[in-house]
Amino acid sequence: MNKIIIDKRYVMHWLLGLALLAGKGPMLQASEMLRNDGSMRASEVTHGSLLLKTDTPGQYSPSPLLNTDVSMQVSGMVARVKVSQQFRNEGTEWAEGVYVFPLPEQAAVDRMRLRIGERVIEGQIKERKQAKKIYQQARRAGKRASLLEQERPNMFTTSVANIAPGEQVHVEIEYLQTLTYTDNHFSLRFPMAITPRYIPGAAVSLAPVSDAVSFSGSGWAQGRHTNTPQVADAARITPPVATPQDELASPVAISIDLAPGFQLAELSSPYHTILSKEDSTGVFHIKLAAGEVTADRDFELVWKPVANEAPVAAMFKQRYQDEDYALLMVMPPDLANMKQQIAAREFIFVIDVSGSMSGDSIAQAKAALKLALERLSTRDRFNIIWFNHGYGSLFPDARVATSLRVAHAERFVEQLHANGGTEMLPALKRALTIRNDFNSLRQVIFLTDGAVGNEDQLFQTINIHLGNNRLFTIGIGSAPNSYFMRKAAERGRGTFTYIGNTHEVLAKMEPLLFKLSQPALTDLKLVLSDATVVETLPDPLPDLYLGEPVILAMKADQLPVDLQLKGRFGAMPWQTQVNLSGGQQRQGIAAVWARRKIASLMDQRLAIHGQDKQKVLGDKVLQLALKHHLVSKFTSLVAVDITPVRHNEPLVSHAMKTQLPKGMNANKVFGRVFGMAKTATPAMLQLLVGLVLLLLGMVAWPWLNRTDI
C-alpha cells in the first residue's frame, strides 16, 4: 500500500477557505440585493401609499404621505365614511402616483374626488376598460386625472396623474358600510393595513411590465410580479412592504359621529384609545386620543345598548328611481332559553402556521385553540390540522376527546411555530373531506389571518366539499383578510369571529364555543301574504347562530305591508311576523342593496362554467354598478380635469413605503433578513457548515502541529 503524504498547510488553508466561503454566502446575498438608494417596487406596498416612478424601469421612490383623515357618520344600521388621503409631490418634476389601500369588504364605494389646490375633480363611474382608457389619454395629454379600481372587495388602487412639483393632492373616497350586530353589540371596522398576500403557483409569464417586481421563492409577494394559474391577477394584489429601517409612520386621524338611537351601556375601541363626548341630541363625537396613529392595524368601534333598549328589529327605507329599497333587521328570540344542545359533535381544528402568522398572531391562535380543546367533552371527537407550505395533522382521523388525547393535543399545539408559505388549499380540502363512522354534526374551526391571493380557488373548494360540514372562521392578527374570512364562513354556513390580540381570546372564544354547542336556526324562509315580488338578499337565507339577527336587504316596485319569517330550531318550528309599514327613510339603502346584489352575482359567476354564462352575469354586474354609481370588478371611478397643466415637461415618479401590520415578523413572512432579498441559497445551512468546518480546524490544529504523519 502506498503511503499518502498530506501537506498540513494545505489542509488548514482548505478548512479555513471552506469555512469562510460558507459563512460568506448570506453576506454576499444581502449586499448584492439591498437597494441603497431607497427605491422600491410597486408591489411592496401594504397600505395606502403614493408610488412614484424613478428613471429606472420598475423602480419607485417614496412620496411622503402627510396624513389620512377618516370621518364617519353612523346612524341606524349604516355608516357613511369619507377617507381623505393627503400627499405632496416634494420632487422638482411632474409626477404620476399610484396608491393601494384597504377598505371594508362590504363597502359600497360610490364617490371619489381629487383635490389639487383649488381644483376639485369629481369622479364618474365608467366601465373599467373605458375608465382606464380615459385616464391614460388624460395622462398623456398633461391633464390632471385620477382612477379608482377594485382589486378585491376589500382592496383598491388609485392612480393620480400630473401632480405638479410642490403640490399637495387630496384624494377623497366615500363609501357606505352596514354595521355588524351580534351578541347585543354593534360594531364597525376600518382596515388600515394590508397583510401581504401569499401567491401559490409558478409564474405563468415573465413578460416585463413597467412596474413589475418579483415574488420570493416562498410565494410571498414582495413586488408586482407575473400571474400564476391559481391567481390570475397576482400582479395587482401584491403590494410592496417597507423595511423596518424605513421608520415610516403613515399617520391616520379618525373622527366619528355616532347616533345610536338608544342609550349606551358600553362604547369602546379595543385596539385604539379614544375620546368620546355625548351632545344634547344623543350623538357621540368620537376621536382618537392620540390625535393620529400609525396605520399598522385595523380600527374597530364597539357599542352596546342598555339592556332594556336592545333592539329586536329595525328597518330603514329608500325610494330610488321608482323602486322601494329596505334594510331589515330582526332578532330571533333568545335561543339559549330553549334549552337545546347538540348531543355530540366532531371538531376539526385547522391552524395556520405560515410566516404571516408569526409573532402575536400565532400566540393568539394557539391560545384560542387550547381554550377550545379545554371545552371538549368525552362525547366529542376532534383532530387538529396544521398548514404552511406543507400540512399535516395530529391524528390520522378524528378521535374521541379523552383527557389523555386532549393533553397530548395541548402539547402538540404548544410546539407549533409559524414559518413558511400559506398553501391553504390542501389543508382545507382535507378538513372538509375527512370521513369516518361518526354521524353527528361536524364543525370545522379555521384559525388564520387569511393572507392568501387565491380566494376564488378556495371558495370553489368550499362549494364542492362542504357537504354537511359547517365552517367557522376565526380571523387572527392586527389586519386579517376579512374578505376571505367572512366569505368563507358565509359559504361554509358558519360564522366569522375576529381576535385582534391575546387579551381578547377568552372574551371572543367563549361566546363562539357556546354558539357551537347550540343548534342553529335553519331552513329560514321569507313568506309573503300577497303576490308582491320582493328581491331579497342574501338568497338563500343563512343559518343563524345564537346572538345573531336576520338582516335582509330588499327591493320591490312597492314593498308589501308585512312579511313572515319561518325556520326551524333543532326539531322546533319558529316563525315571526314583521310589519313593514313603519321604518325610517334613509339615503344610501339602495346602494347597500346593490352592493349585496353585486356580491351575489359574483358568487354565481364563480360557481358556473362556460364563458358565455359568465359573461351574462358579468354584464348584469356592470349594468347594476353603473346604475348605482358603484365601483366593482367591472366598473371604476375616473376623474379628469378639462385643462392641460403639463405641456412639454417630463412626467416622472417617486414612491413611498408603508409598514407591515402590527405584530407581524417580516423575516418570518419573507424568509430572509428583511430589507435584503431572499435567494434560493440556504443561508442558515451555510452558516452551520462554516461553524462545523471551523470546529474541525480547531480539533485538527494539534494534529497539524505535529512534525509529520
Side-chain angles (χ1 to χ4, degrees):
M1 178 179 295
N2 296 329
K3 182 178 181 181
I4 299 175
I5 305 299
I6 302 176
D7 186 327
K8 295 183 293 184
R9 291 171 298 179
Y10 174 79
V11 172
M12 196 62 200
H13 291 166
W14 182 79
L15 288 171
L16 287 173
L18 283 178
L20 289 172
L21 182 61
K24 191 178 180 182
M27 290 188 289
L28 284 174
Q29 296 162 30
S31 61
E32 287 169 356
M33 301 304 293
L34 182 62
R35 293 194 291 269
N36 295 321
D37 61 356
S39 66
M40 61 185 294
R41 297 174 187 240
S43 59
E44 295 174 350
V45 175
T46 57
H47 173 67
S49 54
L50 191 61
L51 306 183
L52 302 174
K53 297 175 183 175
T54 68
D55 292 333
T56 303
Q59 296 294 320
Y60 296 75
S61 62
S63 174
L65 171 64
L66 301 181
N67 59 54
T68 298
D69 291 323
V70 181
S71 61
M72 304 183 185
Q73 304 292 323
V74 185
S75 179
M77 292 291 295
V78 177
R80 163 64 75 172
V81 183
K82 182 170 73 175
V83 180
S84 177
Q85 295 180 302
Q86 304 166 27
F87 305 90
R88 176 181 290 277
N89 175 13
E90 294 192 335
T92 58
E93 297 176 291
W94 290 78
E96 178 195 25
V98 177
Y99 73 96
V100 182
F101 61 98
L103 288 179
E105 68 277 7
Q106 295 178 318
V109 181
D110 61 351
R111 197 167 189 181
M112 177 191 69
R113 297 183 205 88
L114 177 66
R115 296 180 182 271
I116 304 177
E118 298 299 321
R119 301 290 301 169
V120 179
I121 308 168
E122 191 77 26
Q124 300 297 316
I125 196 73
K126 300 288 182 184
E127 185 176 3
R128 186 166 185 165
K129 290 181 181 178
Q130 183 187 4
K132 193 154 192 171
K133 184 177 179 181
I134 292 171
Y135 171 80
Q136 290 172 340
Q137 288 174 340
R139 178 185 179 276
R140 288 192 295 271
K143 298 178 181 178
R144 293 185 176 108
S146 62
L147 175 68
L148 177 61
E149 300 171 280
Q150 176 185 305
E151 311 302 346
R152 292 287 188 275
N154 63 343
M155 186 188 297
F156 294 78
T157 298
T158 292
S159 302
V160 185
N162 295 310
I163 308 171
E167 277 189 327
Q168 183 168 290
V169 177
H170 296 245
V171 179
E172 295 176 357
I173 310 292
E174 288 194 28
Y175 65 87
L176 291 151
Q177 177 183 7
T178 308
L179 306 179
T180 299
Y181 183 49
T182 183
D183 299 325
N184 294 326
H185 288 78
F186 287 88
S187 65
L188 65 82
R189 295 180 65 82
F190 177 73
M192 294 203 285
I194 298 174
T195 297
R197 302 294 194 261
Y198 177 83
I199 305 299
V204 295
S205 170
L206 294 177
V209 293
S210 61
D211 56 355
V213 290
S214 59
F215 296 137
S216 72
S218 65
W220 288 103
Q222 304 185 31
R224 290 187 187 274
H225 191 261
T226 51
N227 303 323
T228 73
Q230 293 90 334
V231 188
D233 61 348
R236 298 191 63 87
I237 65 160
T238 50
V241 178
T243 69
Q245 295 83 355
D246 292 323
E247 298 181 353
L248 297 172
S250 303
V252 177
I254 297 176
S255 61
I256 303 169
D257 290 335
L258 170 64
F262 41 75
Q263 291 186 13
L264 297 188
E266 296 177 17
L267 175 63
S268 65
S269 175
Y271 314 118
H272 298 86
T273 304
I274 58 173
L275 299 175
S276 174
K277 183 177 181 181
E278 182 181 9
D279 67 19
S280 59
T281 65
V283 175
F284 290 81
H285 304 281
I286 303 159
K287 62 181 181 180
L288 297 171
E292 294 180 333
V293 297
T294 300
D296 61 356
R297 71 171 312 148
D298 294 352
F299 171 85
E300 185 176 39
L301 186 72
V302 182
W303 61 101
K304 178 182 179 180
V306 296
N308 59 352
E309 294 194 20
V312 294
M315 187 171 71
F316 302 93
K317 299 177 179 177
Q318 182 185 13
R319 186 74 179 171
Y320 178 77
Q321 296 189 2
D322 296 326
E323 291 178 306
D324 280 343
Y325 293 86
L327 184 66
L328 173 68
M329 185 275 287
V330 178
M331 177 60 74
D334 190 351
L335 303 180
N337 291 334
M338 297 185 181
K339 307 295 183 185
Q340 291 197 27
Q341 283 200 334
I342 299 172
R345 299 161 293 172
E346 181 173 295
F347 286 99
I348 305 299
F349 301 104
V350 185
I351 182 169
D352 181 350
V353 293
S354 65
S356 65
M357 290 285 290
S358 60
D360 296 341
S361 295
I362 190 63
Q364 294 164 25
K366 290 164 68 172
L369 180 47
K370 286 195 284 189
L371 183 62
L373 291 171
E374 292 174 6
R375 298 296 189 271
L376 292 175
S377 75
T378 52
R379 297 173 303 172
D380 301 323
R381 294 192 180 192
F382 80 106
N383 200 359
I384 299 173
I385 296 173
W386 60 267
F387 70 92
N388 48 23
H389 49 274
Y391 73 100
S393 61
L394 174 63
F395 305 121
D397 207 342
R399 302 294 169 87
V400 175
T402 64
S403 57
L404 285 177
R405 288 195 179 113
V406 170
H408 176 55
E410 290 173 342
R411 293 191 296 272
F412 174 82
V413 171
E414 190 57 41
Q415 293 174 1
L416 292 174
H417 299 284
N419 210 343
T422 312
E423 294 289 347
M424 188 181 291
L425 185 63
L428 182 62
K429 279 184 179 178
R430 178 167 182 182
L432 295 177
T433 56
I434 290 177
R435 292 287 184 268
N436 55 31
D437 58 352
F438 193 68
N439 295 320
S440 295
L441 182 64
R442 196 159 182 272
Q443 298 174 333
V444 177
I445 318 297
F446 212 100
L447 302 101
T448 178
D449 59 8
V452 292
N454 58 330
E455 293 101 328
D456 283 355
Q457 188 183 29
L458 296 165
F459 295 152
Q460 288 176 325
T461 298
I462 296 171
N463 290 343
I464 295 170
H465 297 285
L466 181 66
N468 292 323
N469 297 301
R470 295 294 180 269
L471 177 62
F472 301 84
T473 57
I474 300 177
I476 300 292
S478 55
N481 179 1
S482 54
Y483 163 59
F484 169 75
M485 311 297 294
R486 190 178 298 279
K487 182 68 74 175
E490 179 183 312
R491 288 170 177 267
R493 300 177 65 185
T495 62
F496 166 49
T497 301
Y498 173 69
I499 297 177
N501 62 51
T502 50
H503 303 296
E504 289 186 322
V505 170
L506 183 64
K508 296 292 184 70
M509 285 298 293
E510 288 282 14
L512 173 62
L513 295 172
F514 187 66
K515 286 180 185 180
L516 299 185
S517 70
Q518 305 287 315
L521 189 58
T522 61
D523 301 327
L524 278 171
K525 296 177 181 175
L526 185 69
V527 180
L528 299 174
S529 57
D530 56 28
T532 304
V533 177
V534 179
E535 192 167 359
T536 306
L537 297 168
D539 182 22
L541 294 176
D543 295 346
L544 285 185
Y545 294 86
L546 182 66
E548 297 179 348
V550 182
I551 296 181
L552 301 176
M554 299 184 291
K555 188 196 79 167
D557 291 340
Q558 188 167 10
L559 288 174
V561 176
D562 57 25
L563 58 80
Q564 195 175 54
L565 282 168
K566 291 185 174 181
R568 301 191 67 82
F569 179 64
M572 301 171 56
W574 172 83
Q575 67 178 40
T576 189
Q577 193 81 16
V578 182
N579 188 331
L580 301 179
S581 59
Q584 186 180 64
Q585 291 293 323
R586 184 68 54 84
Q587 295 294 316
I589 300 301
V592 169
W593 179 88
R595 176 66 183 80
R596 294 184 175 215
K597 181 64 178 178
I598 288 172
S600 175
L601 291 169
M602 293 301 295
D603 287 347
Q604 296 174 41
R605 186 173 178 272
L606 181 64
I608 66 169
H609 299 285
Q611 292 185 352
D612 291 343
K613 294 179 180 178
Q614 291 180 344
K615 184 178 185 307
V616 170
L617 290 170
D619 288 343
K620 288 184 179 179
V621 171
L622 173 63
Q623 295 306 318
L624 190 62
L626 290 174
K627 177 180 178 180
H628 290 272
H629 210 261
L630 294 178
V631 177
S632 70
K633 183 178 178 67
F634 304 115
T635 51
S636 301
L637 281 166
V638 61
V640 177
D641 200 0
I642 298 175
T643 306
V645 291
R646 181 178 62 85
H647 301 287
N648 298 320
E649 301 91 339
L651 183 67
V652 295
S653 301
H654 309 277
M656 73 168 290
K657 305 174 183 177
T658 55
Q659 294 91 345
L660 275 175
K662 184 179 178 61
M664 183 173 288
N665 185 328
N667 296 336
K668 293 284 188 180
V669 174
F670 299 111
R672 61 184 171 132
V673 178
F674 197 54
M676 302 178 184
K678 180 184 178 181
T679 73
T681 306
M684 184 56 71
L685 178 61
Q686 289 178 320
L687 287 171
L688 291 174
V689 170
L691 288 172
V692 170
L693 291 172
L694 282 173
L695 289 172
L696 285 174
M698 295 173 64
V699 171
W701 185 253
W703 167 75
L704 293 169
N705 280 333
R706 291 174 54 187
T707 305
D708 202 351
I709 295 177

